[in-house]
Amino acid sequence: MGLQILYEVLNERDDVLAERTYAVWPDMEAQMREHRIPQFTVESHRPVAAFDVLGGSFPTELGYTNLLTALDLAGIPLHAADRGEGHPLVVAGGHCSFNPEPMADFVDAVVMGDGEVAVLRLSDLIRDVKAAGGGRAELLDAIAASGVAYVPSRYEVSYLPDGRIHRVAPTSADVPWRVAKQTVSDLDQWPYPKQPLVPLAETVHERASIEIFRGCTRGCRFCQAGMITRPVRERSKTTVADMVQAALDA
């Protein structure tokens, strides 16, 4: 659902092209390596390395290694420090990006919270930096200063003897000490996806999905999603009905 929302939000813009790519199963990975086929997109089979940005979704920690495999198949250096001007910006999001430290060496930026506004702000920053002739360093500086995402290379992390994080400090004065979670306040302003992607093959979840609210009032301590998606935001009945009709029409 989150992927479809961001896909449509981005592609509605005239100056942005967003395509999908997925981590492949081991048998497909073996074939791609044997025939030297790089990680590619679903829509146009364009090489992932040809894009300005590669966004990775982490709904669970199991996605960490999937992203590393995709990077390797794409010919993109695994470590962010090894990437140059010709490589995409690797951005992570999703529930398991709230603790970005396990993947800090491998991603260029991390968005925490809702993505609708964040991806548009990132797109604006990338456009403006490119138009001004800036490179990767200038782009990372701009993203870090904006606070829209956490840029690991612009912070220093120190640890306690038992492995816990002791301190996270910015490396320059224009970088915020704390990166805030992105929160969409009014879901009725973002009735996405308006035209949900309809697969050509039968899928596991053979149905239309409609998001009626985000957050949870129950506060179960074991539930990560219930804690990090607060506060509760509900869509109006009218918006939900319109989204259901649009999904059925599609």
Side-chain angles (χ1 to χ4, degrees):
M1 175 64 73
L3 184 148
Q4 289 202 39
I5 291 172
L6 299 184
Y7 180 87
E8 190 169 321
V9 166
L10 287 168
N11 280 315
E12 280 188 343
R13 288 182 49 154
D14 294 332
D15 59 344
V16 176
L17 167 70
E19 297 188 1
R20 295 166 293 155
T21 191
Y22 297 93
V24 295
W25 206 243
D27 58 347
M28 181 65 170
E29 178 186 347
Q31 291 291 317
M32 291 172 67
R33 293 190 186 279
E34 178 182 349
H35 298 284
R36 298 183 179 179
I37 300 173
Q39 181 83 20
F40 57 86
T41 61
V42 174
E43 284 79 4
S44 66
H45 292 188
R46 191 191 310 261
V48 165
F51 286 79
D52 291 312
V53 181
L54 171 60
S57 176
F58 292 146
T60 72
E61 291 88 349
L62 296 175
Y64 292 165
T65 51
N66 285 350
L67 178 62
L68 298 183
T69 299
L71 288 172
D72 191 45
L73 283 174
I76 301 171
L78 293 184
H79 290 89
D82 296 333
R83 295 178 196 137
E85 297 299 336
H87 296 124
L89 186 78
V90 180
V91 182
H95 287 182
C96 287
S97 66
F98 269 73
N99 175 19
E101 194 59 13
M103 290 294 289
D105 291 339
F106 309 106
V107 296
D108 296 303
V110 182
V111 174
M112 286 163 280
D114 298 331
E116 289 93 336
V117 176
V119 294
L120 296 179
R121 289 187 62 194
L122 281 173
S123 298
D124 289 339
L125 286 168
I126 295 166
R127 178 198 61 204
D128 294 344
V129 170
K130 286 181 66 176
R136 172 174 285 267
E138 289 77 15
L139 177 57
L140 292 174
D141 287 339
I143 294 173
S146 73
V148 68
Y150 171 68
V151 180
S153 62
R154 298 305 186 261
Y155 290 83
E156 291 182 349
V157 181
S158 58
Y159 290 85
L160 296 170
D162 62 1
R164 288 180 297 150
I165 293 176
H166 173 239
R167 187 169 182 260
V168 181
T171 58
S172 63
D174 58 345
V175 176
W177 273 86
R178 179 171 293 181
V179 178
K181 180 184 75 169
Q182 302 292 317
T183 301
V184 173
S185 300
D186 186 358
L187 291 184
D188 280 339
Q189 294 183 358
W190 299 89
Y192 292 88
K194 299 174 183 175
Q195 296 186 354
L197 295 165
V198 180
L200 299 178
E202 185 176 355
T203 63
V204 175
H205 303 291
E206 192 75 354
R207 59 179 178 265
S209 299
I210 305 297
E211 181 192 44
I212 62 173
F213 67 92
R214 285 182 202 174
C216 182
T217 59
R218 295 182 179 271
C220 303
R221 300 297 296 179
F222 63 82
C223 180
Q224 181 200 40
M227 289 293 174
I228 66 177
T229 56
R230 292 179 176 186
V232 176
R233 290 146 292 158
E234 297 180 346
R235 298 188 190 275
S236 66
K237 290 187 292 184
T238 302
T239 299
V240 171
D242 290 343
M243 293 176 69
V244 169
Q245 190 62 54
L248 292 174
D249 291 342

